[in-house]
Amino acid sequence: MSTSAEASRAGTPEIPDSKSRAWGLAHHFESFAQQQEASYLGMWLFLVQEIMFFGGLFLAYIVYRTGHPEAFTSGSHELDITLGGINTVVLIASSLTMALAVWAAQKGRSKGIVVFIILTILLGGVFLGIKTVEYSHKWHEHHVPGPHFEWDGPDAPHVQMFFNLYFAMTGLHALHMVVGMALLAVIAVWAWRGAFTKENHNLIEGIGLYWHFVDIVWIFLFPLLYLLGRNGV
Amino acid sequence: MSDHEQVTGVGAYVVVFLALMVLTSLTVGAAFVDLGPFNDVVALAIAFTKATLVVLIFMHVRHASRLTKITVVAGFLWLLILFGITLTDYFSRGFLG
């Protein structure tokens, strides 16, 4: 029996079919490497349009801040550097745990994936918790743009514009984090069930790319929103 | 990407994390020093350095195929076009008096 199997294996070229194909390899890909390359490139194409999406807000920020530097500086002074700084550390730490989750996937360690994803979700939760505290301060101080906005100093309309951009940019950033955490929760369950292998972990790598992108957006938001004119000039 | 996936080790990730922490402290510290117009330049230079570290190491672009690298750089170029053309308009409006 073994000899006939060996003979047929030697005599016929390997033709992939539904039985012999490895689980998780889509039929239109020749190999896991090709499938992974397509997934990785596809995720980057998505992130490139995300760069343009956030880019519009950064552009609005540059235009208004250049036109009204004093108003933007006084608005920025109302933000809490300590809370913003802690959140920067927390978010970069979550990028580290996310990178380690992808590393665990590359090594084929399902439990490692689950642990590092849970840590990433927890750090994301800490970030959003601190953001909630900051938002509620702004609400009580009447610094939320709209009919209840109050500003005693000069140029209230453009200070309000600073807070408009602050809430639009950090709000959109926070929304991205909520989406990322929801995706991570699903992936953690699948990883727990052993859905990912050394060869097939595109979902984890893809969501990892997304999470790091959200981290990069914050890396720019923190100095641009929190650290204006702190040198006393 | 080759057939064998390039795996970045835990050590590299930790080193990058520590570098990002140092750069974060630097950007906070520099904000309190009066550098005149260079405060913004320093803040953005540090932010770009941090972003580049994340893109190359955390996001594995260092080991990516040439096609992916071109895609990443193209995204950045389009951002520069968006900024460049719009700001050329806004900043030159006063030139004609």
Side-chain angles (χ1 to χ4, degrees):
Chain A
M1 192 183 132
S2 64
T3 48
S4 69
E6 269 164 25
S8 76
R9 206 180 299 153
T12 52
E14 237 186 76
I15 299 168
D17 58 49
S18 59
K19 281 175 190 164
S20 72
R21 268 178 95 78
W23 185 83
L25 181 60
H27 68 89
H28 49 290
F29 291 116
E30 278 182 355
S31 64
F32 278 111
Q34 190 192 45
Q35 176 171 271
Q36 184 176 1
E37 171 65 16
S39 158
Y40 185 77
L41 177 63
M43 197 61 201
W44 262 110
L45 285 170
F46 169 70
L47 292 183
V48 163
Q49 70 83 25
E50 285 270 271
I51 292 173
M52 299 307 286
F53 177 59
F54 274 97
L57 281 168
F58 279 99
L59 182 59
Y61 169 92
I62 296 172
V63 168
Y64 277 101
R65 190 186 147 193
T66 313
H68 313 279
E70 296 86 6
F72 268 53
T73 301
S74 44
S76 171
H77 281 195
E78 296 298 321
L79 301 181
D80 191 326
I81 288 190
T82 310
L83 292 181
I86 292 172
N87 257 354
T88 306
V89 173
V90 168
L91 203 56
I92 293 174
S94 82
S95 253
L96 174 66
T97 55
M98 186 68 238
L100 292 176
V102 176
W103 170 82
Q106 289 168 332
K107 296 279 177 188
R109 297 177 189 167
S110 285
K111 277 187 184 146
I113 300 172
V114 175
V115 168
F116 285 123
I117 286 183
I118 288 174
L119 282 173
T120 308
I121 294 174
L122 286 176
L123 288 165
V126 171
F127 181 97
L128 290 178
I130 292 177
K131 207 77 218 134
T132 309
V133 171
E134 289 189 85
Y135 276 8
S136 94
H137 283 172
K138 291 282 152 290
W139 177 261
H140 289 297
E141 289 162 359
H142 294 279
H143 288 162
V144 179
H148 300 290
F149 184 78
E150 286 173 18
W151 186 257
D152 295 332
D155 203 3
H158 292 115
V159 177
Q160 181 163 229
M161 180 53 83
F162 171 82
F163 283 112
N164 262 316
L165 285 165
Y166 167 77
F167 280 105
M169 294 169 106
T170 59
L172 211 55
H173 176 264
L175 182 66
H176 274 76
M177 289 192 60
V178 172
V179 171
M181 287 161 72
L183 292 172
L184 283 173
V186 174
I187 291 301
V189 173
W190 290 358
W192 181 256
R193 291 178 184 163
F196 302 108
T197 59
K198 245 178 170 171
E199 296 80 18
N200 177 35
H201 50 261
N202 296 331
L203 277 173
I204 304 174
E205 169 118 46
I207 292 169
L209 287 177
Y210 173 85
W211 193 263
H212 297 310
F213 166 79
V214 173
D215 186 25
I216 289 175
V217 171
W218 184 259
I219 282 174
F220 283 96
L221 284 181
F222 175 59
L224 291 179
L225 293 174
Y226 287 76
L227 300 176
L228 298 187
R230 297 285 177 176
N231 49 27
V233 178
Chain B
M1 209 170 274
S2 62
D3 282 351
H4 293 286
E5 193 178 3
Q6 293 264 18
V7 178
T8 306
V10 175
Y13 289 134
V14 173
V15 168
V16 168
F17 170 75
L18 293 174
L20 291 171
M21 290 294 105
V22 171
L23 288 167
T24 302
S25 321
L26 264 181
T27 201
V28 173
F32 288 91
V33 182
D34 181 17
L35 302 170
F38 289 102
N39 273 102
D40 282 334
V41 177
V42 170
L44 282 177
I46 293 175
F48 271 110
T49 309
K50 288 166 77 177
T52 307
L53 280 174
V54 173
V55 167
L56 288 180
I57 314 296
F58 281 180
M59 298 171 96
H60 303 155
V61 170
R62 188 173 50 142
H63 295 307
S65 66
R66 198 169 290 174
L67 179 61
T68 305
K69 282 176 179 159
I70 291 172
T71 306
V72 176
V73 173
F76 181 68
L77 278 180
W78 279 106
L79 190 68
L80 284 185
I81 292 170
L82 174 74
F83 281 20
I85 293 179
T86 313
L87 295 180
T88 305
D89 173 11
Y90 272 98
F91 293 167
S92 64
R93 284 184 187 186
F95 290 6
L96 296 174

